[in-house]
Amino acid sequence: MTARGVFYVHSAPPALSPHIEWAAAGVVGVPVSLEWADQPAAPGTLRAELHWEGRPGTAAGITSALRNWKLLRFEVTEDPTPGCDGVRYSFTPSLGVFTGVIGANGDIMIPEDRLRAVMANAAVGKTTLEHELDRLLGTPWDNELEPFRRAGDGAPVRWLHAAV
């Protein structure tokens, strides 16, 4: 079974670009060569985008390989496959990793147990329901990444096919 997705590097210091390619290649199992461009939303950094095909779980593997690199902003998506939901991972240095299960229509699906925990914490005053729902929907990550996403509009697209 083959999964598809997109790996967006929204901002990275130029010195990290070969290391990012190497880390992604280690996950997808084939050499990765990204087309790097200046990131106008963060002068002095680069951005890149890669459409990939590989085994289900590739997005999680890429995220795991890069999640401790505190100078990056990135997102990895994986389309649904039979038996697997779609997923989006977002990472920012200030917020860490957000994981959202994506439904067929593109909406984030929040698991029941997470909703129940949020409601319980809000009921005892540990947090507000609005704040926690925003976090479950990834709103803080979207707010931080949106300027970087817009700066990448019209960027060239590359496809990478892994040996499955």
Side-chain angles (χ1 to χ4, degrees):
M1 179 179 344
T2 300
R4 289 181 167 203
V6 184
F7 172 37
Y8 303 95
V9 179
H10 291 299
S11 72
L16 286 184
S17 59
H19 303 284
I20 294 167
E21 291 174 354
W22 178 82
V27 174
V28 298
V30 297
V32 171
S33 178
L34 298 173
E35 189 170 321
W36 295 95
D38 290 335
Q39 174 52 277
T45 66
L46 300 175
R47 66 164 315 281
E49 182 176 316
L50 177 72
H51 292 251
W52 58 267
E53 285 186 6
R55 67 189 182 289
T58 296
I62 292 170
T63 301
S64 292
L66 298 175
R67 71 179 296 152
N68 292 321
W69 298 18
K70 300 299 182 189
L71 299 175
L72 299 180
R73 286 179 186 85
F74 68 89
E75 291 183 278
V76 189
T77 65
E78 185 167 313
D79 295 340
T81 54
C84 296
D85 293 320
V87 66
R88 174 175 57 106
Y89 299 93
S90 302
F91 179 85
T92 73
S94 63
L95 298 170
V97 174
F98 166 77
T99 304
V101 176
I102 307 299
N105 64 350
D107 286 344
I108 292 177
M109 300 183 333
I110 301 171
E112 178 183 343
D113 62 331
R114 292 180 77 185
L115 285 172
R116 289 186 187 282
V118 163
M119 291 186 321
N121 287 336
V124 297
K126 289 184 178 179
T127 186
T128 66
L129 186 58
E130 293 81 9
H131 173 76
E132 289 303 311
L133 288 176
D134 273 346
R135 290 191 60 79
L136 288 176
L137 292 170
T139 302
W141 287 265
D142 287 337
N143 290 342
E144 187 170 327
L145 290 173
E146 192 58 29
F148 296 90
R149 292 174 182 148
R150 289 177 189 255
D153 288 346
V157 174
R158 294 192 57 157
W159 272 95
L160 176 70
H161 300 273
V164 179

